Amino acid sequence: ETETKDWFIAIGASGWIFEQPEPAELQGSLDLGWNFLEYAQLLLETEVHYDDEEAFQIASGPALYYRVNDQTHVRIEWKHDFISHVSKSEVDHGNGDRISIGVGFVF
């Protein structure tokens, strides 16, 4: 990840191998952002998720990050599920939008 005064970009990938019966997972993300204020950021976030039970998802959407002060940070995001295939062996969920709101405290 890298950031300038005005722009932000982050690329990430991770993988998890679990003991049976849990499936192994691969995840990736691409986040592009604009620092429109010294304490606020607008992002476009895209994430890809795959597991070895054939579940696959691509979701993307905007996020707003706001630093209230040095100790309190707020984040709101909405992700639209563009592509979603649920596992054939165990149906979990899919084809849904997600809204997340979080507050972080820095000590």
Side-chain angles (χ1 to χ4, degrees):
E1 109 180 12
T2 188
E3 186 172 7
T4 68
K5 177 182 172 286
D6 295 321
W7 304 103
F8 172 85
I9 184 170
I11 300 170
S14 64
W16 295 94
I17 298 175
F18 300 103
E19 293 182 22
Q20 291 298 331
E22 296 296 319
E25 297 180 3
L26 295 173
Q27 298 179 35
S29 65
L30 171 63
D31 303 338
L32 304 172
W34 171 44
N35 301 326
F36 63 95
L37 294 171
E38 177 182 312
Y39 48 85
Q41 187 176 63
L42 184 62
L43 299 145
L44 176 61
E45 301 180 334
T46 302
E47 54 190 40
V48 178
H49 179 263
Y50 170 81
D51 72 33
D52 63 1
E53 291 184 346
E54 299 181 20
F56 179 73
Q57 178 187 36
I58 297 177
S60 185
L64 177 65
Y65 168 81
Y66 181 79
R67 188 180 75 237
V68 178
N69 55 43
D70 287 344
Q71 291 79 34
T72 308
H73 302 229
V74 177
R75 180 179 168 83
I76 300 169
E77 74 175 29
W78 171 72
K79 292 263 180 20
H80 176 70
D81 193 1
F82 285 99
I83 299 174
S84 184
H85 299 283
V86 295
S87 171
K88 292 179 181 177
S89 63
E90 184 178 332
V91 177
D92 184 8
H93 64 279
N95 297 328
D97 290 356
R98 181 178 71 227
I99 296 174
S100 301
I101 300 172
V103 178
F105 300 100
V106 180
F107 298 98

